[in-house]
Amino acid sequence: MLRFLKVNIVLFCIGFYGITINAQTKFEREYRIKPHEIPKPAGKFINQVFEGQKIKWYAEESQDGKTFEAKTTYKKNKYSIEFDTHGNVIDVEQKVSFQSLEDGLKSKIRLTFNTLFTKHIILKTQIQWKGDANTLFQLLKNQNAVGYTQLYEIIVKAKKEDTYKMYEVLVDSDGKAIKVLEIVQRTSDNLEF
């Protein structure tokens, strides 16, 4: 009886998770803006971290609302820092190669993707940090920081039910999927970084 219950719970979770993947869609429109169009706290944060660096500013409209994003290359790394409409930092993303991740984490992520999709190709990998502004400042300055969450945002072209689609998958440090969004985009509205 207990074994039967465990099997049914696992099957329910797998079925529920599959429904979640189909139900969540990411719509995004990103466009360049001038520095004077951003909230002042966002500009102040960026100027303190990346003093003298060339910064590209974007506004982003998505299913979650409007945000502002600063993109730059700093010490040979590509960064994207996202802010809300008041200029509060939401998260920091650093572009990395999937191969640069620890072997154990890569294996866990591949295992997760094998359960989500019949086939997949990893196109882009970013480390994502979430925390308060001071903590994210310390991380960007390569200082020791505590009290932050590190996740991985991975863009994949994946096959599910005989159709290839683009997905954004957010995974935790154990390689487990936290969020899976199907990307719906119009190439004229999106800019690549």
PDB file of all heavy atoms in Angstrom, residues 11 26-27 46 97 104 107 149 158 178:
ATOM      1  N   LEU A  11       4.118  10.058  -9.688  1.00  0.00           N
ATOM      2  CA  LEU A  11       3.457  10.256 -10.982  1.00  0.00           C
ATOM      3  C   LEU A  11       2.651  11.539 -10.995  1.00  0.00           C
ATOM      4  O   LEU A  11       2.643  12.273 -11.995  1.00  0.00           O
ATOM      5  CB  LEU A  11       2.558   9.055 -11.318  1.00  0.00           C
ATOM      6  CG  LEU A  11       3.284   7.766 -11.649  1.00  0.00           C
ATOM      7  CD1 LEU A  11       2.297   6.613 -11.817  1.00  0.00           C
ATOM      8  CD2 LEU A  11       4.143   7.923 -12.888  1.00  0.00           C
ATOM      9  N   LYS A  26       7.048  33.020 -21.335  1.00  0.00           N
ATOM     10  CA  LYS A  26       7.787  34.254 -21.130  1.00  0.00           C
ATOM     11  C   LYS A  26       7.638  35.135 -22.360  1.00  0.00           C
ATOM     12  O   LYS A  26       8.068  34.778 -23.445  1.00  0.00           O
ATOM     13  CB  LYS A  26       9.266  33.957 -20.881  1.00  0.00           C
ATOM     14  CG  LYS A  26      10.092  35.207 -20.689  1.00  0.00           C
ATOM     15  CD  LYS A  26      11.531  34.899 -20.403  1.00  0.00           C
ATOM     16  CE  LYS A  26      12.305  36.184 -20.213  1.00  0.00           C
ATOM     17  NZ  LYS A  26      13.654  35.951 -19.748  1.00  0.00           N
ATOM     18  N   PHE A  27       7.006  36.291 -22.159  1.00  0.00           N
ATOM     19  CA  PHE A  27       6.923  37.312 -23.192  1.00  0.00           C
ATOM     20  C   PHE A  27       7.874  38.417 -22.781  1.00  0.00           C
ATOM     21  O   PHE A  27       7.860  38.841 -21.629  1.00  0.00           O
ATOM     22  CB  PHE A  27       5.508  37.887 -23.303  1.00  0.00           C
ATOM     23  CG  PHE A  27       4.476  36.882 -23.691  1.00  0.00           C
ATOM     24  CD1 PHE A  27       3.724  36.222 -22.728  1.00  0.00           C
ATOM     25  CD2 PHE A  27       4.250  36.586 -25.020  1.00  0.00           C
ATOM     26  CE1 PHE A  27       2.766  35.286 -23.081  1.00  0.00           C
ATOM     27  CE2 PHE A  27       3.302  35.653 -25.385  1.00  0.00           C
ATOM     28  CZ  PHE A  27       2.555  35.010 -24.412  1.00  0.00           C
ATOM     29  N   ILE A  46      25.097  51.551 -10.394  1.00  0.00           N
ATOM     30  CA  ILE A  46      25.965  51.162 -11.513  1.00  0.00           C
ATOM     31  C   ILE A  46      27.233  52.003 -11.548  1.00  0.00           C
ATOM     32  O   ILE A  46      28.337  51.484 -11.759  1.00  0.00           O
ATOM     33  CB  ILE A  46      25.198  51.250 -12.854  1.00  0.00           C
ATOM     34  CG1 ILE A  46      24.116  50.167 -12.906  1.00  0.00           C
ATOM     35  CG2 ILE A  46      26.139  51.143 -14.048  1.00  0.00           C
ATOM     36  CD1 ILE A  46      24.628  48.740 -12.826  1.00  0.00           C
ATOM     37  N   SER A  97      30.172  30.038 -19.568  1.00  0.00           N
ATOM     38  CA  SER A  97      29.940  28.876 -20.432  1.00  0.00           C
ATOM     39  C   SER A  97      29.419  27.743 -19.554  1.00  0.00           C
ATOM     40  O   SER A  97      29.808  27.624 -18.383  1.00  0.00           O
ATOM     41  CB  SER A  97      31.231  28.452 -21.137  1.00  0.00           C
ATOM     42  OG  SER A  97      32.105  27.844 -20.221  1.00  0.00           O
ATOM     43  N   GLY A 104      29.834  18.084 -11.166  1.00  0.00           N
ATOM     44  CA  GLY A 104      28.669  17.540 -10.474  1.00  0.00           C
ATOM     45  C   GLY A 104      27.400  18.318 -10.773  1.00  0.00           C
ATOM     46  O   GLY A 104      26.331  17.733 -10.993  1.00  0.00           O
ATOM     47  N   SER A 107      26.207  17.615 -14.351  1.00  0.00           N
ATOM     48  CA  SER A 107      25.531  16.314 -14.426  1.00  0.00           C
ATOM     49  C   SER A 107      24.101  16.401 -13.905  1.00  0.00           C
ATOM     50  O   SER A 107      23.171  15.851 -14.495  1.00  0.00           O
ATOM     51  CB  SER A 107      26.301  15.265 -13.627  1.00  0.00           C
ATOM     52  OG  SER A 107      27.559  15.049 -14.194  1.00  0.00           O
ATOM     53  N   THR A 149      21.523  34.446  -2.740  1.00  0.00           N
ATOM     54  CA  THR A 149      21.133  33.194  -3.389  1.00  0.00           C
ATOM     55  C   THR A 149      21.794  33.140  -4.757  1.00  0.00           C
ATOM     56  O   THR A 149      21.763  34.117  -5.498  1.00  0.00           O
ATOM     57  CB  THR A 149      19.597  33.145  -3.559  1.00  0.00           C
ATOM     58  OG1 THR A 149      18.996  33.275  -2.272  1.00  0.00           O
ATOM     59  CG2 THR A 149      19.160  31.843  -4.201  1.00  0.00           C
ATOM     60  N   ALA A 158      14.794  23.090 -26.920  1.00  0.00           N
ATOM     61  CA  ALA A 158      14.469  21.750 -26.442  1.00  0.00           C
ATOM     62  C   ALA A 158      13.262  21.171 -27.158  1.00  0.00           C
ATOM     63  O   ALA A 158      12.374  21.891 -27.606  1.00  0.00           O
ATOM     64  CB  ALA A 158      14.217  21.789 -24.940  1.00  0.00           C
ATOM     65  N   ILE A 178      13.641  25.291 -10.900  1.00  0.00           N
ATOM     66  CA  ILE A 178      12.770  26.107 -10.066  1.00  0.00           C
ATOM     67  C   ILE A 178      11.647  26.694 -10.909  1.00  0.00           C
ATOM     68  O   ILE A 178      10.506  26.768 -10.485  1.00  0.00           O
ATOM     69  CB  ILE A 178      13.565  27.249  -9.411  1.00  0.00           C
ATOM     70  CG1 ILE A 178      14.640  26.688  -8.493  1.00  0.00           C
ATOM     71  CG2 ILE A 178      12.651  28.205  -8.663  1.00  0.00           C
ATOM     72  CD1 ILE A 178      15.611  27.722  -7.998  1.00  0.00           C
TER      73      ILE A 178
END
